[in-house]
Amino acid sequence: MLHFDRYAREVLIRTSRNQVLSAFAESGLDEKDKELMADTFAQINLAYFAGDPIDEDALDDGLELWRQQPSSFFSLYIDTILSDEGNGCHSIHYAR
């Protein structure tokens, strides 16, 4: 397959976004907020699997929305990835 790297990245982003959007479909959150949370999750997931650094400052608005949510698979997953970045002070804490 030509351009497999680009294809794989697109599939990972789309799959990550769809998982979050599906999980929060009935959450009552604003659609814009759900989209931002899905984008943030997808960007973190992609960077993690690609071995790229995660620019938390660029993702701050989305991370803030995640901080406001109750603990879930997704929030714990994000926290694990951010903690794995090397400095534990970058982990985020979620509403209970």
Side-chain angles (χ1 to χ4, degrees):
M1 172 182 277
L2 293 175
H3 311 291
F4 180 76
D5 288 345
R6 184 178 66 206
Y7 171 78
R9 291 172 78 85
E10 291 170 1
V11 168
L12 184 59
I13 289 170
R14 184 174 57 247
T15 302
S16 297
R17 281 182 42 75
N18 288 344
Q19 288 175 333
V20 172
L21 292 173
S22 176
F24 286 87
E26 304 297 322
S27 67
L29 290 170
D30 180 88
E31 289 300 317
K32 184 179 129 198
D33 289 346
K34 286 189 277 191
E35 289 287 334
L36 181 56
M37 289 173 64
D39 287 339
T40 301
F41 181 82
Q43 290 175 40
I44 289 170
N45 202 32
L46 177 63
Y48 183 73
F49 280 99
D52 295 335
I54 298 170
D55 183 357
E56 293 180 52
D57 291 335
L59 300 172
D60 193 53
D61 291 342
L63 288 173
E64 181 57 35
L65 287 172
W66 278 108
R67 286 181 193 105
Q68 296 170 14
Q69 302 308 307
S71 182
S72 67
F73 164 80
F74 297 101
S75 63
L76 295 173
Y77 184 82
I78 290 170
D79 196 37
T80 299
I81 289 173
L82 295 180
S83 295
D84 195 42
E85 278 289 293
N87 188 348
C89 69
H90 293 293
S91 62
I92 55 181
H93 303 281
Y94 304 92
R96 301 258 182 242

